[in-house]
Amino acid sequence: MYDKTSIIVAPATTLGQSAIGIIRLSGPIETDKQKQAAILQILFKVFRAKYLSSADLNTNKEREERCCLKPWTLHRGVALDSHGQEIDDVLAVYMPGPRTFTGEDCVEIHCHGSRVILETVLEACLNAGARMALPGEFSYRAFMNGRIDLAQAEAVSELVSASSVQGARLAKAKLDGAFGQRIALLKEKLLSLKAKLCVVLDFSLELSGDELDNVSEAEIKQNIAELETGLKALTKAYQRARAWRDGCMVVLVGSVNAGKSSLMNAMLGRRRSLVHDIPGTTRDYIEESINLNGLNVRLVDTAGLRQTDDLVEADGVEFSRELLSQADYVLFVKDACFDLSEEEKELLLTHPDHILVLNKQDLLDTSRSIVYDACNTKIYISAKKSEGIDTLLDVLHEKLLLKMELGKSFEQNSDLAPNLRQNKLIQAALEELNLFDLDLENKMPIEILSVRIDIILDKLEEIIGKTDLDEVLEKVFGDFCIGK
């Protein structure tokens, strides 16, 4: 998958316009102290320290300065292009391994954040003998060199892509190793359980019936209960973390011309959905994100629900119903001037996590009493005049926090939250644990019970990368950005 013997290079910052841009290199540690590190040989082809004059080039003074380049210190100098011409005033730092992120010898060149300059320095590094890093290769080397476990490596990517402060905190906690420590504790409980089984297996002839029952029924049952509690806590944390990290999905549904698109625009504070008096204007779904007091919310505007002969619109209506099943919460938009139809009442009953948004309150005849008894929460608004929008957003925020069990502030126990890949492995471990419990009830041979435990251990070890799974590693690090 990756060649671990070469020196890799990549921009650590975006190739755009900014104040500072960084080129990062990493390569194998030079074990021979009498030799100059290979990564320094590349550095000195693209960088010249400021205190070296042109008269010093190719002299003993230059060679002396190069050999004693002080590590972990920013050195001012100039960056050179592939032809040895000066291109920029820069800072360079040499960081010898293994106490680096990758566990290897590393170099960073801090340039001015011009795309042209960064690409020129990058090209010079490539011509000097480095090769372009693959996506996630720096983090892969950190993992392979034991600097981080697989869960921490994934946390690097999660931290870079975090869409909220809470999501960043979740990733930071995993990067610090808290999640890996929790998995290690669960592994210890499993090993303790396996040890008890070995006692029963190895000493079954020496133990009395009562002693054997005590080991198998009391202690083992207690271990199973503790393991199940720990694994379920992590799956629950996954649901909370998913909301903080990826955002909650809120779907706007309702009949045609109820004002869904107008409400979408009002909630976003800008025009995003096309609004028109002609029914069926929205045929496909439109998704945008908003931030509700730190919680990322994905708003999805859908096609109006109605019977139609238009094939394209009919597909949009069908897709709207599919999105309903995926929603964390539903905003059911209704023209406040009309009563709910039987179909609409049925939709409300089948989707209890909803808010009935009664739009066009400015056109409502206040002398007319309308009863909406098929909903949990109803709010009157005027999307056109942006009346009641703040109230709706506040209520929606509270409802989402309650449903996702997020609390009003960041919860400490949410720090130990798995991602999708990790959660699938935890779910598989839970299923295997349930089978173990069933086998225990059915008095299955201890050898079979022991195999169950080994399978659970394999699942947990796969989470933190303790097993040799090239395909898993390729998928995990392949999703990273280049330079991480």
Side-chain angles (χ1 to χ4, degrees):
M1 182 172 64
Y2 294 111
D3 172 20
K4 298 186 284 290
T5 62
S6 57
I7 296 173
I8 56 174
V9 62
T13 54
T14 182
L15 283 176
Q17 190 172 3
S18 60
I20 301 295
I22 300 174
I23 300 296
R24 174 183 291 168
L25 297 98
S26 181
I29 297 175
E30 179 56 67
T31 55
D32 188 346
K33 300 301 180 183
Q34 301 303 315
K35 292 184 178 180
Q36 187 181 68
I39 200 168
L40 285 178
Q41 296 176 27
I42 291 179
L43 173 63
F44 290 128
K45 290 180 181 178
V46 300
F47 169 79
R48 184 171 69 240
K50 203 71 172 179
Y51 44 74
L52 291 175
S53 65
S54 57
D56 295 323
L57 295 180
N58 299 318
T59 66
N60 290 333
K61 182 178 180 181
E62 182 197 22
R63 287 193 291 272
E64 180 182 343
E65 293 287 359
R66 288 184 171 185
C67 289
C68 63
L69 186 69
K70 187 177 180 180
W72 306 101
T73 302
L74 283 170
H75 297 269
R76 188 184 175 197
V78 292
L80 310 174
D81 65 16
S82 297
H83 304 289
Q85 301 297 311
E86 296 183 3
I87 184 66
D88 189 22
D89 285 327
V90 300
L91 296 173
V93 58
Y94 165 54
M95 298 167 283
R99 295 174 59 187
T100 61
F101 173 69
T102 60
E104 300 180 324
D105 288 342
C106 292
V107 161
E108 285 186 358
I109 304 173
H110 297 227
C111 314
H112 289 95
S114 159
R115 184 185 184 96
V116 171
I117 290 174
L118 290 172
E119 288 181 341
T120 301
V121 175
L122 184 61
E123 181 184 10
C125 290
L126 294 171
N127 289 334
R131 71 164 174 82
M132 193 69 184
L134 298 173
E137 190 165 3
F138 286 90
S139 296
Y140 172 79
R141 292 192 175 194
F143 167 72
M144 294 302 294
N145 291 324
R147 298 294 293 170
I148 55 177
D149 62 33
L150 189 56
Q152 288 174 296
E154 289 176 297
V156 174
S157 180
E158 292 168 15
L159 188 59
V160 171
S161 60
S163 59
S164 67
V165 173
Q166 287 82 357
R169 288 174 180 166
L170 287 168
K172 177 62 170 61
K174 291 171 71 175
L175 186 58
D176 290 341
F179 182 70
Q181 292 168 11
R182 173 60 67 87
I183 296 298
L185 288 174
L186 291 173
K187 283 180 60 182
E188 285 182 17
K189 291 183 183 295
L190 274 169
L191 292 173
S192 175
L193 177 57
K194 187 171 182 178
K196 289 181 174 64
L197 290 176
C198 289
V199 168
V200 176
L201 182 62
D202 295 338
F203 301 100
S204 57
L205 295 178
E206 301 176 20
L207 294 174
S208 66
D210 291 340
E211 290 174 325
L212 192 60
D213 288 341
N214 287 337
V215 172
S216 60
E217 295 299 329
E219 297 181 30
I220 293 179
K221 281 286 187 182
Q222 182 180 351
N223 278 64
I224 293 174
E226 292 174 354
L227 283 165
E228 185 176 15
T229 300
L231 291 170
K232 284 184 176 180
L234 288 175
T235 59
K236 208 167 188 180
Y238 164 74
Q239 296 297 332
R240 292 192 299 267
R242 183 185 63 81
W244 287 125
R245 185 173 54 233
D246 303 328
C248 299
M249 182 177 177
V250 175
V251 176
L252 284 68
V253 297
S255 59
V256 294
N257 274 17
K260 298 183 299 301
S261 297
S262 296
L263 175 58
M264 175 88 157
N265 293 337
M267 295 175 77
L268 292 173
R270 59 185 174 86
R271 188 182 183 191
R272 176 61 179 86
S273 294
L274 184 63
V275 178
H276 202 282
D277 292 337
I278 299 175
T281 301
T282 302
R283 296 187 172 197
D284 197 2
Y285 79 96
I286 297 173
E287 181 175 330
E288 286 287 340
S289 294
I290 60 172
N291 190 294
L292 291 184
N293 299 324
L295 178 62
N296 188 42
V297 175
R298 295 153 49 212
L299 294 176
V300 182
D301 182 19
T302 62
L305 302 177
R306 69 166 181 175
Q307 297 293 329
T308 177
D309 295 329
D310 188 309
L311 295 179
V312 176
E313 186 183 352
D315 285 343
V317 172
E318 183 61 30
F319 197 55
S320 297
R321 297 183 185 277
E322 291 180 17
L323 287 170
L324 272 175
S325 63
Q326 304 171 24
D328 294 310
Y329 228 83
V330 176
L331 295 184
F332 192 91
V333 186
K334 174 68 180 176
D335 188 332
C337 300
F338 300 96
D339 290 321
L340 289 169
S341 67
E342 290 304 316
E343 182 183 3
E344 290 171 333
K345 290 179 181 179
E346 183 180 347
L347 274 175
L348 291 174
L349 289 172
T350 53
H351 297 85
D353 295 319
H354 71 263
I355 298 174
L356 179 58
V357 183
L358 300 170
N359 190 27
K360 305 181 183 180
Q361 67 169 1
D362 50 317
L363 304 178
L364 185 63
D365 183 358
T366 55
S367 64
R368 181 170 176 255
S369 177
I370 303 176
V371 178
Y372 294 95
D373 55 1
C375 66
N376 297 325
T377 305
K378 61 177 181 287
I379 297 176
Y380 285 89
I381 68 159
S382 172
K384 185 177 181 179
K385 296 185 177 181
S386 294
E387 296 175 355
I389 302 301
D390 288 340
T391 300
L392 173 60
L393 292 174
D394 288 341
V395 172
L396 177 61
H397 181 248
E398 292 295 327
K399 294 285 188 183
L400 288 172
L401 291 181
L402 182 62
K403 181 189 176 183
M404 307 303 291
E405 299 183 12
L406 299 174
K408 291 191 176 182
S409 61
F410 182 74
E411 294 185 34
Q412 189 64 29
N413 62 358
S414 288
D415 286 355
L416 308 176
N419 59 26
L420 178 60
R421 182 192 71 87
Q422 296 158 357
N423 188 59
K424 286 183 177 179
L425 291 169
I426 292 170
Q427 292 280 13
L430 261 174
E431 292 175 7
E432 200 65 36
L433 186 63
N434 291 332
L435 291 173
F436 175 94
D437 197 16
L438 185 61
D439 287 346
L440 187 65
E441 291 288 343
N442 293 331
K443 307 296 183 182
M444 296 296 287
I446 293 176
E447 293 87 347
I448 293 179
L449 296 177
S450 183
V451 170
R452 295 280 189 205
I453 292 179
D454 288 338
I455 294 174
I456 299 172
L457 279 169
D458 286 343
K459 299 299 181 185
L460 296 185
E461 288 181 343
E462 190 176 335
I463 290 174
I464 54 178
K466 296 299 183 182
T467 53
D468 185 16
L469 296 170
D470 288 341
E471 290 185 5
V472 173
L473 297 181
E474 186 173 357
K475 178 67 176 80
V476 168
F477 293 104
D479 289 338
F480 279 47
C481 60
I482 295 175
K484 289 307 294 179

